[in-house]
Amino acid sequence: MTTTKGHCPALSNIRICDFTGQLAGAGATKILAMFGAQVIRVEDRLRQGQWDIFRGNGPWPDERRGINLGGTFNNHNVEKMGVTLDMRKPGASDVLRELISVSDVVAENFSKGVLDRWGFSYEDMVKIKPDIIYVSNCGFGHVGPYSEYKTWGPIVQAVSGLTFQSGLAGMPPAGWGYSYMDHTGGYHMAIAILMAVYHRHRTGVGQWVDMSCSDGAAALNGPAMLDYTVNGVPSRRPGNPNSNRSIYPRMAPHGIYRCAGEDQWAAVAVRDNNDWSSMCEVMGFSDLAADESLACLDARIEQHDELDQRIGKWTSTRTSMEVMKSLQAKGVPAAAVQHPEDRIEHDPNTKAWDLFPTVQHEEIGKIRVDGMAVKLSETPATIQKGAPTLGQHNDEVFGDILGMSSETVRTLTEEGVI
């Protein structure tokens, strides 16, 4: 969604000095940038002299390759400005002090202690700008016995407990594949920044926000943890997890059913007796609808296997979209199990929500990115500019915002500071 003429972006008065990289941090500041915050992405050669690992990695827009063409970096840095700053060079600290002095928030997702070693702990930042908000998103945060440990997406999934419960009974833990926990960490981080900004707006006082991405992931174990602590039932046990049936909350029928076509499926959730009656009507199960014993949830759960066979026989002769539309027409929750390419290219709801808008990138050109599934009537998101190329806004940030002369910027560039 693009900003409507006359509307002022919700966060247009916020400037963020942004050291976040990869997904967990970059995803957070991307959200804020899309709602108008001026996010200045500060890039430094960190691990083994590399830039952000996603700068030079795919997916690629076409046959081109290069430091500015990484699809993942572009996706997670839309609407941001980009500058380069080599913190190992004399003079870089002075530049960073100037940038912090004109910022509202400093955000990073380094390992514990990186900014401290640069001489920019929270206490140091407060001396530069008393009401600064410093948000740190570490794998394990700055407290606890794991605080020195290093993490990556699958590591966070493993230690949080999600990897273990994702597998089927009697088989090795499956894991979640892509680093979805990084996205969860990004959402937590974005909310934390907004809360700290709101607090400062009310009180004039900044603060340090310490965040543990792995503990944020652990919170997603809620149903499994509750089942164990209350009922003493472990998440991995004979028959559970069931790949095609959900047990949270108690519903029946409640599962995934094969449809016509290769690897086509539909999800159906019968919440209550009204859904049960409607489902039977749609599927022509007059005998089941007349069976008074099945009007009881416990009985339907007890006969779930038999019901699944009956439903699966009906769905197998219909496309997944036919199953979804026919059941939804009667108010029964149902959905086609879509392949990612289906959702991007063919689903009409994707177009209605503009879930994958096109942005303009300096080198890539026009390319689609993740959109925002939130529509604000007065302060909508803006998703038009692609991620910055390496150092794209050095002159604008160091010159216009920090007030450095063109000669100073040129000298710092020649010295490799920026």
Side-chain angles (χ1 to χ4, degrees):
M1 185 196 298
T2 56
T3 303
T4 304
K5 185 177 181 180
H7 287 197
C8 181
L11 303 177
S12 59
N13 63 333
I14 300 298
R15 177 179 291 144
I16 300 175
C17 175
D18 180 23
F19 284 100
T20 63
Q22 289 87 50
L23 305 181
T29 53
K30 177 186 77 169
I31 294 172
L32 306 182
M34 289 192 294
F35 283 101
Q38 185 183 69
V39 177
I40 301 174
R41 174 76 168 89
V42 183
E43 297 191 64
D44 172 67
R45 287 186 183 272
L46 290 172
R47 191 168 177 266
Q48 297 177 347
Q50 297 177 347
W51 300 104
D52 188 308
I53 191 172
F54 290 127
R55 264 205 171 277
N57 284 314
W60 306 102
D62 43 44
E63 71 282 352
R64 292 174 293 170
R65 302 291 183 270
I67 198 69
N68 291 318
L69 301 173
T72 303
F73 182 87
N74 183 48
N75 188 63
H76 282 75
N77 290 278
V78 296
E79 291 295 326
K80 300 179 186 180
M81 305 178 76
V83 300
T84 51
L85 189 63
D86 189 342
M87 294 304 299
R88 292 155 186 77
K89 296 292 180 65
S93 293
D94 293 334
V95 176
L96 182 53
R97 287 189 187 92
E98 290 296 319
L99 186 54
I100 291 173
S101 73
V102 297
S103 298
D104 299 285
V105 179
V106 175
E108 53 95 350
N109 63 314
F110 296 138
S111 298
K112 175 185 175 182
V114 171
L115 259 64
D116 288 27
R117 291 193 292 273
W118 288 356
F120 288 92
S121 66
Y122 174 60
E123 292 75 16
D124 294 320
M125 292 186 207
V126 169
K127 294 175 183 176
I128 300 169
K129 193 171 192 296
D131 63 350
I132 195 71
I133 294 167
Y134 169 42
V135 184
S136 173
N137 180 359
C138 296
F140 291 103
H142 284 70
V143 297
Y146 296 166
S147 64
E148 300 292 341
Y149 287 7
K150 303 298 185 286
T151 61
W152 198 246
I155 306 303
V156 172
Q157 294 168 32
V159 76
S160 67
L162 291 166
T163 295
F164 182 79
Q165 66 162 301
S166 68
L168 299 180
M171 298 182 68
W176 284 31
Y178 194 66
S179 299
Y180 294 108
M181 295 308 94
D182 283 86
H183 294 275
T184 300
Y187 302 147
H188 279 278
M189 189 176 187
I191 293 170
I193 292 173
L194 292 174
M195 288 191 293
V197 168
Y198 179 68
H199 175 264
R200 195 186 67 174
H201 177 72
R202 290 175 56 245
T203 66
V205 179
Q207 61 183 300
W208 175 25
V209 179
D210 184 16
M211 181 184 152
S212 167
C213 200
S214 61
D215 289 290
L220 295 178
N221 287 287
M225 288 181 173
L226 189 64
D227 207 11
Y228 179 75
T229 56
V230 174
N231 303 317
V233 178
S235 60
R236 296 280 294 274
R237 57 189 186 273
N240 193 75
N242 185 315
S243 64
N244 281 5
R245 184 183 299 169
S246 177
I247 61 174
Y248 302 116
R250 296 178 78 244
M251 297 181 191
H254 191 191
I256 309 295
Y257 303 92
R258 185 179 292 279
C259 298
E262 184 178 355
D263 203 18
Q264 298 296 312
W265 307 79
V268 179
V270 174
R271 301 164 295 180
D272 50 33
N273 289 345
N274 289 332
D275 283 350
W276 169 247
S277 298
S278 297
M279 188 204 77
C280 289
E281 179 185 350
V282 170
M283 296 183 179
F285 296 163
S286 56
D287 58 325
L288 297 182
D291 189 338
E292 295 184 359
S293 68
L294 291 176
C296 170
L297 172 62
D298 287 339
R300 292 201 298 272
I301 290 177
E302 187 175 338
Q303 298 184 49
H304 211 309
D305 290 341
E306 292 81 358
L307 294 176
D308 279 352
Q309 290 180 5
R310 186 79 176 268
I311 295 169
K313 185 176 180 180
W314 183 86
T315 60
S316 67
T317 62
R318 293 160 173 82
T319 69
S320 58
M321 294 300 289
E322 288 173 340
V323 172
M324 178 177 78
K325 291 179 178 179
S326 60
L327 288 171
Q328 287 284 0
K330 290 294 183 178
V332 180
V337 176
Q338 299 198 72
H339 301 186
E341 55 270 26
D342 296 333
R343 188 63 201 261
I344 293 173
E345 300 295 345
H346 307 301
D347 191 288
N349 209 55
T350 296
K351 183 177 181 181
W353 273 88
D354 195 20
L355 284 180
F356 299 98
T358 298
V359 298
Q360 183 68 39
H361 186 272
E362 188 80 2
E363 290 192 17
I364 297 174
K366 292 183 177 180
I367 191 166
R368 296 169 77 179
V369 295
D370 289 344
M372 176 57 62
V374 176
K375 294 182 182 291
L376 279 68
S377 63
E378 298 304 314
T379 54
T382 298
I383 312 172
Q384 296 175 334
K385 296 186 299 184
T389 56
L390 193 63
Q392 180 178 343
H393 300 99
N394 280 354
D395 290 341
E396 184 176 348
V397 171
F398 299 130
D400 297 344
I401 295 177
L402 297 188
M404 294 181 182
S405 67
S406 57
E407 182 179 348
T408 299
V409 173
R410 184 170 57 254
T411 299
L412 290 173
T413 302
E414 292 171 353
E415 293 174 349
V417 176
I418 60 178

